[in-house]
Amino acid sequence: DIVTVGGATEDFSFYTHEGRLIEESKAGRLIKQIAFDYGAKIGIDRVYSTFGGGAANTAVNLAGLGFKTAAVLALGDDERGREVINNLRRKKVATALVKQIKGDTSGFSFIVINKNNERIIFSHRGANTELRLGAKDLAAIKSSGWVYIASLSGKYWQSDLKKIFSLPRVRKIWNPGQTQLAGGRKQIAKFLEQTDVFCLNKDEALELVVASSVSTKKMDIKKLLLLIQSWGPKMVVITNGRQGADLYDGARFYHQAIVQKHRDTYGVGDAFHSSFWAGLELYRGDIKRALRLAVLNTASVVSKVGAQNGLLIKADLTKYKI
């Protein structure tokens, strides 16, 4: 039904009662930093090992919701990579398109979370940077008719995007990473024009606009949606933390409030955006119901540690009025 393309990682989450939040204003933007005492030995209250990565998270979510899903990933030829693959297979994700790069290490992240659930992520991309789409991958994407594009990194990302967006009659849902956003609209204009659903969080949306040499002064969420949608995507979705999520489809604005405060927000965007796509498919294009499914699944994920724990499965949907 859909192929996901992007990254996969193992994530180590460290919870600590230490770490102070520091806020300062730079160039009109509020910058937040987490600080620890220099030279100190920092106490860890608890630690978890979970699986993550944009393409892996979305594939696991969509498979659990009943869709036939494959993931295009690059992993190292190491124990971590084998564990990632085993996890995907347990979750019913097709792994024939997963590549293991000899001599490289699989990606991983160290996530430090303080007592106020404020976090910082140390990310090692590893073999993710070696992802390169081949004929077999493109044939699978073309056959499915839908592709979910998560964050891409490494020297092949532009080539990979060109290959994906050159496929006729393939619909695209795209949640770009910082590498894609940093160059602004100019760098991704041709891709935006062919995107069916463009997904960002508010900080990412602002980053894209600033990188496009557009002032964000007095720019609220609706103005952000209007501007980015005018650049080509059929539909733009922006998540905004405790403020919920907003969408514009070129004709109408939609807002979806959150239903639960967060414990761990890592992977929230992956759960929300892929669940929104699932809702569009399950509820025949009903945007309101799709947003409702997305926020309910997100609420389930944030009640657990990790990006894939807590994801709803198809059997769970009968419990909710969506």
Side-chain angles (χ1 to χ4, degrees), residues 120-147:
I120 187 166
I121 302 169
F122 299 87
S123 179
H124 173 64
R125 284 288 190 176
N128 286 302
T129 62
E130 297 299 319
L131 182 63
R132 190 174 190 178
L133 272 64
K136 184 179 178 181
D137 307 312
L138 297 173
I141 293 170
K142 189 175 180 180
S143 176
S144 75
W146 266 105
V147 60

PDB file of all heavy atoms in Angstrom, residues 120-147:
ATOM      1  N   ILE A 120      17.406  16.958  24.657  1.00  0.00           N
ATOM      2  CA  ILE A 120      18.357  17.253  23.598  1.00  0.00           C
ATOM      3  C   ILE A 120      18.791  15.915  23.005  1.00  0.00           C
ATOM      4  O   ILE A 120      18.919  14.913  23.726  1.00  0.00           O
ATOM      5  CB  ILE A 120      19.560  18.073  24.113  1.00  0.00           C
ATOM      6  CG1 ILE A 120      20.445  18.510  22.947  1.00  0.00           C
ATOM      7  CG2 ILE A 120      20.368  17.297  25.150  1.00  0.00           C
ATOM      8  CD1 ILE A 120      21.446  19.579  23.324  1.00  0.00           C
ATOM      9  N   ILE A 121      18.983  15.884  21.689  1.00  0.00           N
ATOM     10  CA  ILE A 121      19.261  14.630  20.994  1.00  0.00           C
ATOM     11  C   ILE A 121      20.640  14.695  20.340  1.00  0.00           C
ATOM     12  O   ILE A 121      20.929  15.618  19.583  1.00  0.00           O
ATOM     13  CB  ILE A 121      18.199  14.351  19.912  1.00  0.00           C
ATOM     14  CG1 ILE A 121      16.802  14.309  20.536  1.00  0.00           C
ATOM     15  CG2 ILE A 121      18.499  13.032  19.191  1.00  0.00           C
ATOM     16  CD1 ILE A 121      15.690  14.308  19.520  1.00  0.00           C
ATOM     17  N   PHE A 122      21.479  13.725  20.661  1.00  0.00           N
ATOM     18  CA  PHE A 122      22.774  13.565  20.002  1.00  0.00           C
ATOM     19  C   PHE A 122      22.603  12.444  18.973  1.00  0.00           C
ATOM     20  O   PHE A 122      22.330  11.299  19.345  1.00  0.00           O
ATOM     21  CB  PHE A 122      23.860  13.206  21.014  1.00  0.00           C
ATOM     22  CG  PHE A 122      24.072  14.251  22.077  1.00  0.00           C
ATOM     23  CD1 PHE A 122      23.305  14.256  23.240  1.00  0.00           C
ATOM     24  CD2 PHE A 122      25.028  15.238  21.907  1.00  0.00           C
ATOM     25  CE1 PHE A 122      23.496  15.220  24.217  1.00  0.00           C
ATOM     26  CE2 PHE A 122      25.227  16.210  22.879  1.00  0.00           C
ATOM     27  CZ  PHE A 122      24.462  16.208  24.036  1.00  0.00           C
ATOM     28  N   SER A 123      22.738  12.775  17.707  1.00  0.00           N
ATOM     29  CA  SER A 123      22.409  11.826  16.657  1.00  0.00           C
ATOM     30  C   SER A 123      23.640  11.438  15.841  1.00  0.00           C
ATOM     31  O   SER A 123      24.387  12.297  15.376  1.00  0.00           O
ATOM     32  CB  SER A 123      21.350  12.430  15.725  1.00  0.00           C
ATOM     33  OG  SER A 123      21.027  11.543  14.676  1.00  0.00           O
ATOM     34  N   HIS A 124      23.840  10.138  15.689  1.00  0.00           N
ATOM     35  CA  HIS A 124      24.878   9.619  14.798  1.00  0.00           C
ATOM     36  C   HIS A 124      24.183   8.959  13.620  1.00  0.00           C
ATOM     37  O   HIS A 124      23.541   7.906  13.766  1.00  0.00           O
ATOM     38  CB  HIS A 124      25.763   8.606  15.526  1.00  0.00           C
ATOM     39  CG  HIS A 124      26.745   7.919  14.623  1.00  0.00           C
ATOM     40  ND1 HIS A 124      27.750   8.589  13.970  1.00  0.00           N
ATOM     41  CD2 HIS A 124      26.856   6.607  14.250  1.00  0.00           C
ATOM     42  CE1 HIS A 124      28.449   7.738  13.236  1.00  0.00           C
ATOM     43  NE2 HIS A 124      27.926   6.529  13.389  1.00  0.00           N
ATOM     44  N   ARG A 125      24.290   9.546  12.448  1.00  0.00           N
ATOM     45  CA  ARG A 125      23.572   9.049  11.275  1.00  0.00           C
ATOM     46  C   ARG A 125      24.078   7.693  10.806  1.00  0.00           C
ATOM     47  O   ARG A 125      23.314   6.862  10.325  1.00  0.00           O
ATOM     48  CB  ARG A 125      23.691  10.073  10.140  1.00  0.00           C
ATOM     49  CG  ARG A 125      22.811  11.283  10.311  1.00  0.00           C
ATOM     50  CD  ARG A 125      21.380  10.922  10.076  1.00  0.00           C
ATOM     51  NE  ARG A 125      20.500  12.061  10.001  1.00  0.00           N
ATOM     52  CZ  ARG A 125      19.214  11.972   9.729  1.00  0.00           C
ATOM     53  NH1 ARG A 125      18.662  10.791   9.524  1.00  0.00           N
ATOM     54  NH2 ARG A 125      18.454  13.041   9.677  1.00  0.00           N
ATOM     55  N   GLY A 126      25.376   7.474  10.917  1.00  0.00           N
ATOM     56  CA  GLY A 126      25.927   6.191  10.511  1.00  0.00           C
ATOM     57  C   GLY A 126      25.573   5.832   9.082  1.00  0.00           C
ATOM     58  O   GLY A 126      25.635   6.663   8.167  1.00  0.00           O
ATOM     59  N   ALA A 127      25.129   4.604   8.882  1.00  0.00           N
ATOM     60  CA  ALA A 127      24.836   4.101   7.532  1.00  0.00           C
ATOM     61  C   ALA A 127      23.660   4.804   6.876  1.00  0.00           C
ATOM     62  O   ALA A 127      23.476   4.699   5.653  1.00  0.00           O
ATOM     63  CB  ALA A 127      24.569   2.597   7.606  1.00  0.00           C
ATOM     64  N   ASN A 128      22.851   5.537   7.647  1.00  0.00           N
ATOM     65  CA  ASN A 128      21.749   6.289   7.043  1.00  0.00           C
ATOM     66  C   ASN A 128      22.231   7.211   5.929  1.00  0.00           C
ATOM     67  O   ASN A 128      21.498   7.473   4.970  1.00  0.00           O
ATOM     68  CB  ASN A 128      21.017   7.125   8.105  1.00  0.00           C
ATOM     69  CG  ASN A 128      20.146   6.278   9.016  1.00  0.00           C
ATOM     70  OD1 ASN A 128      19.253   5.574   8.569  1.00  0.00           O
ATOM     71  ND2 ASN A 128      20.420   6.348  10.311  1.00  0.00           N
ATOM     72  N   THR A 129      23.460   7.701   6.052  1.00  0.00           N
ATOM     73  CA  THR A 129      23.985   8.630   5.052  1.00  0.00           C
ATOM     74  C   THR A 129      24.327   7.935   3.734  1.00  0.00           C
ATOM     75  O   THR A 129      24.622   8.600   2.738  1.00  0.00           O
ATOM     76  CB  THR A 129      25.246   9.343   5.572  1.00  0.00           C
ATOM     77  OG1 THR A 129      26.271   8.366   5.825  1.00  0.00           O
ATOM     78  CG2 THR A 129      24.952  10.108   6.849  1.00  0.00           C
ATOM     79  N   GLU A 130      24.302   6.603   3.736  1.00  0.00           N
ATOM     80  CA  GLU A 130      24.640   5.844   2.538  1.00  0.00           C
ATOM     81  C   GLU A 130      23.414   5.369   1.766  1.00  0.00           C
ATOM     82  O   GLU A 130      23.537   4.595   0.812  1.00  0.00           O
ATOM     83  CB  GLU A 130      25.500   4.636   2.912  1.00  0.00           C
ATOM     84  CG  GLU A 130      26.842   4.998   3.525  1.00  0.00           C
ATOM     85  CD  GLU A 130      27.709   5.809   2.567  1.00  0.00           C
ATOM     86  OE1 GLU A 130      27.736   5.475   1.361  1.00  0.00           O
ATOM     87  OE2 GLU A 130      28.327   6.796   3.025  1.00  0.00           O
ATOM     88  N   LEU A 131      22.244   5.831   2.178  1.00  0.00           N
ATOM     89  CA  LEU A 131      21.032   5.419   1.481  1.00  0.00           C
ATOM     90  C   LEU A 131      21.063   5.915   0.033  1.00  0.00           C
ATOM     91  O   LEU A 131      21.277   7.098  -0.236  1.00  0.00           O
ATOM     92  CB  LEU A 131      19.793   5.988   2.180  1.00  0.00           C
ATOM     93  CG  LEU A 131      18.447   5.592   1.559  1.00  0.00           C
ATOM     94  CD1 LEU A 131      18.243   4.090   1.643  1.00  0.00           C
ATOM     95  CD2 LEU A 131      17.301   6.322   2.240  1.00  0.00           C
ATOM     96  N   ARG A 132      20.840   4.982  -0.890  1.00  0.00           N
ATOM     97  CA  ARG A 132      20.846   5.312  -2.313  1.00  0.00           C
ATOM     98  C   ARG A 132      19.820   4.428  -3.009  1.00  0.00           C
ATOM     99  O   ARG A 132      19.938   3.206  -3.003  1.00  0.00           O
ATOM    100  CB  ARG A 132      22.239   5.089  -2.909  1.00  0.00           C
ATOM    101  CG  ARG A 132      22.408   5.635  -4.316  1.00  0.00           C
ATOM    102  CD  ARG A 132      23.852   5.495  -4.752  1.00  0.00           C
ATOM    103  NE  ARG A 132      24.101   6.208  -5.998  1.00  0.00           N
ATOM    104  CZ  ARG A 132      25.292   6.282  -6.598  1.00  0.00           C
ATOM    105  NH1 ARG A 132      26.333   5.671  -6.034  1.00  0.00           N
ATOM    106  NH2 ARG A 132      25.443   6.941  -7.718  1.00  0.00           N
ATOM    107  N   LEU A 133      18.813   5.041  -3.585  1.00  0.00           N
ATOM    108  CA  LEU A 133      17.735   4.288  -4.197  1.00  0.00           C
ATOM    109  C   LEU A 133      18.160   3.662  -5.523  1.00  0.00           C
ATOM    110  O   LEU A 133      18.799   4.318  -6.350  1.00  0.00           O
ATOM    111  CB  LEU A 133      16.523   5.190  -4.435  1.00  0.00           C
ATOM    112  CG  LEU A 133      15.528   5.302  -3.269  1.00  0.00           C
ATOM    113  CD1 LEU A 133      16.185   5.946  -2.060  1.00  0.00           C
ATOM    114  CD2 LEU A 133      14.297   6.085  -3.676  1.00  0.00           C
ATOM    115  N   GLY A 134      17.783   2.396  -5.678  1.00  0.00           N
ATOM    116  CA  GLY A 134      18.073   1.677  -6.914  1.00  0.00           C
ATOM    117  C   GLY A 134      16.794   1.320  -7.653  1.00  0.00           C
ATOM    118  O   GLY A 134      15.685   1.675  -7.239  1.00  0.00           O
ATOM    119  N   ALA A 135      16.953   0.591  -8.737  1.00  0.00           N
ATOM    120  CA  ALA A 135      15.822   0.239  -9.589  1.00  0.00           C
ATOM    121  C   ALA A 135      14.764  -0.574  -8.833  1.00  0.00           C
ATOM    122  O   ALA A 135      13.555  -0.375  -9.033  1.00  0.00           O
ATOM    123  CB  ALA A 135      16.323  -0.547 -10.800  1.00  0.00           C
ATOM    124  N   LYS A 136      15.196  -1.470  -7.964  1.00  0.00           N
ATOM    125  CA  LYS A 136      14.263  -2.298  -7.199  1.00  0.00           C
ATOM    126  C   LYS A 136      13.411  -1.430  -6.265  1.00  0.00           C
ATOM    127  O   LYS A 136      12.196  -1.645  -6.140  1.00  0.00           O
ATOM    128  CB  LYS A 136      15.042  -3.338  -6.388  1.00  0.00           C
ATOM    129  CG  LYS A 136      14.179  -4.318  -5.622  1.00  0.00           C
ATOM    130  CD  LYS A 136      15.057  -5.324  -4.872  1.00  0.00           C
ATOM    131  CE  LYS A 136      14.214  -6.288  -4.053  1.00  0.00           C
ATOM    132  NZ  LYS A 136      15.067  -7.255  -3.304  1.00  0.00           N
ATOM    133  N   ASP A 137      14.032  -0.446  -5.626  1.00  0.00           N
ATOM    134  CA  ASP A 137      13.302   0.455  -4.728  1.00  0.00           C
ATOM    135  C   ASP A 137      12.267   1.271  -5.497  1.00  0.00           C
ATOM    136  O   ASP A 137      11.118   1.413  -5.081  1.00  0.00           O
ATOM    137  CB  ASP A 137      14.273   1.412  -4.033  1.00  0.00           C
ATOM    138  CG  ASP A 137      15.408   0.686  -3.342  1.00  0.00           C
ATOM    139  OD1 ASP A 137      15.123  -0.284  -2.614  1.00  0.00           O
ATOM    140  OD2 ASP A 137      16.569   1.089  -3.536  1.00  0.00           O
ATOM    141  N   LEU A 138      12.686   1.816  -6.622  1.00  0.00           N
ATOM    142  CA  LEU A 138      11.799   2.666  -7.415  1.00  0.00           C
ATOM    143  C   LEU A 138      10.639   1.867  -7.992  1.00  0.00           C
ATOM    144  O   LEU A 138       9.507   2.358  -8.071  1.00  0.00           O
ATOM    145  CB  LEU A 138      12.594   3.345  -8.529  1.00  0.00           C
ATOM    146  CG  LEU A 138      13.703   4.303  -8.041  1.00  0.00           C
ATOM    147  CD1 LEU A 138      14.542   4.790  -9.210  1.00  0.00           C
ATOM    148  CD2 LEU A 138      13.106   5.485  -7.294  1.00  0.00           C
ATOM    149  N   ALA A 139      10.903   0.621  -8.372  1.00  0.00           N
ATOM    150  CA  ALA A 139       9.832  -0.237  -8.880  1.00  0.00           C
ATOM    151  C   ALA A 139       8.796  -0.509  -7.793  1.00  0.00           C
ATOM    152  O   ALA A 139       7.581  -0.518  -8.053  1.00  0.00           O
ATOM    153  CB  ALA A 139      10.414  -1.550  -9.400  1.00  0.00           C
ATOM    154  N   ALA A 140       9.262  -0.715  -6.567  1.00  0.00           N
ATOM    155  CA  ALA A 140       8.347  -0.958  -5.450  1.00  0.00           C
ATOM    156  C   ALA A 140       7.505   0.275  -5.149  1.00  0.00           C
ATOM    157  O   ALA A 140       6.299   0.181  -4.885  1.00  0.00           O
ATOM    158  CB  ALA A 140       9.139  -1.372  -4.211  1.00  0.00           C
ATOM    159  N   ILE A 141       8.143   1.444  -5.175  1.00  0.00           N
ATOM    160  CA  ILE A 141       7.416   2.692  -4.932  1.00  0.00           C
ATOM    161  C   ILE A 141       6.366   2.915  -6.016  1.00  0.00           C
ATOM    162  O   ILE A 141       5.211   3.255  -5.735  1.00  0.00           O
ATOM    163  CB  ILE A 141       8.395   3.883  -4.871  1.00  0.00           C
ATOM    164  CG1 ILE A 141       9.298   3.772  -3.638  1.00  0.00           C
ATOM    165  CG2 ILE A 141       7.637   5.215  -4.849  1.00  0.00           C
ATOM    166  CD1 ILE A 141      10.451   4.756  -3.625  1.00  0.00           C
ATOM    167  N   LYS A 142       6.759   2.698  -7.263  1.00  0.00           N
ATOM    168  CA  LYS A 142       5.844   2.881  -8.384  1.00  0.00           C
ATOM    169  C   LYS A 142       4.664   1.923  -8.286  1.00  0.00           C
ATOM    170  O   LYS A 142       3.511   2.282  -8.565  1.00  0.00           O
ATOM    171  CB  LYS A 142       6.587   2.675  -9.698  1.00  0.00           C
ATOM    172  CG  LYS A 142       5.783   3.042 -10.930  1.00  0.00           C
ATOM    173  CD  LYS A 142       6.633   2.929 -12.185  1.00  0.00           C
ATOM    174  CE  LYS A 142       5.835   3.305 -13.435  1.00  0.00           C
ATOM    175  NZ  LYS A 142       6.659   3.206 -14.666  1.00  0.00           N
ATOM    176  N   SER A 143       4.933   0.713  -7.861  1.00  0.00           N
ATOM    177  CA  SER A 143       3.881  -0.294  -7.731  1.00  0.00           C
ATOM    178  C   SER A 143       2.893   0.052  -6.619  1.00  0.00           C
ATOM    179  O   SER A 143       1.693  -0.185  -6.749  1.00  0.00           O
ATOM    180  CB  SER A 143       4.514  -1.662  -7.456  1.00  0.00           C
ATOM    181  OG  SER A 143       3.522  -2.636  -7.230  1.00  0.00           O
ATOM    182  N   SER A 144       3.401   0.614  -5.526  1.00  0.00           N
ATOM    183  CA  SER A 144       2.524   0.923  -4.392  1.00  0.00           C
ATOM    184  C   SER A 144       1.618   2.104  -4.679  1.00  0.00           C
ATOM    185  O   SER A 144       0.474   2.153  -4.233  1.00  0.00           O
ATOM    186  CB  SER A 144       3.349   1.211  -3.141  1.00  0.00           C
ATOM    187  OG  SER A 144       3.941   2.498  -3.223  1.00  0.00           O
ATOM    188  N   GLY A 145       2.132   3.098  -5.387  1.00  0.00           N
ATOM    189  CA  GLY A 145       1.330   4.285  -5.686  1.00  0.00           C
ATOM    190  C   GLY A 145       1.417   5.373  -4.640  1.00  0.00           C
ATOM    191  O   GLY A 145       1.003   6.510  -4.877  1.00  0.00           O
ATOM    192  N   TRP A 146       1.960   5.059  -3.463  1.00  0.00           N
ATOM    193  CA  TRP A 146       2.150   6.047  -2.396  1.00  0.00           C
ATOM    194  C   TRP A 146       3.556   5.872  -1.817  1.00  0.00           C
ATOM    195  O   TRP A 146       4.014   4.750  -1.626  1.00  0.00           O
ATOM    196  CB  TRP A 146       1.153   5.853  -1.258  1.00  0.00           C
ATOM    197  CG  TRP A 146      -0.101   6.678  -1.351  1.00  0.00           C
ATOM    198  CD1 TRP A 146      -1.351   6.243  -1.692  1.00  0.00           C
ATOM    199  CD2 TRP A 146      -0.244   8.070  -1.051  1.00  0.00           C
ATOM    200  NE1 TRP A 146      -2.248   7.275  -1.639  1.00  0.00           N
ATOM    201  CE2 TRP A 146      -1.597   8.405  -1.245  1.00  0.00           C
ATOM    202  CE3 TRP A 146       0.653   9.074  -0.641  1.00  0.00           C
ATOM    203  CZ2 TRP A 146      -2.090   9.705  -1.043  1.00  0.00           C
ATOM    204  CZ3 TRP A 146       0.161  10.362  -0.443  1.00  0.00           C
ATOM    205  CH2 TRP A 146      -1.191  10.667  -0.647  1.00  0.00           C
ATOM    206  N   VAL A 147       4.206   6.983  -1.504  1.00  0.00           N
ATOM    207  CA  VAL A 147       5.497   6.939  -0.825  1.00  0.00           C
ATOM    208  C   VAL A 147       5.511   7.970   0.290  1.00  0.00           C
ATOM    209  O   VAL A 147       5.023   9.097   0.123  1.00  0.00           O
ATOM    210  CB  VAL A 147       6.665   7.182  -1.815  1.00  0.00           C
ATOM    211  CG1 VAL A 147       6.549   8.540  -2.497  1.00  0.00           C
ATOM    212  CG2 VAL A 147       8.010   7.041  -1.120  1.00  0.00           C
TER     213      VAL A 147
END
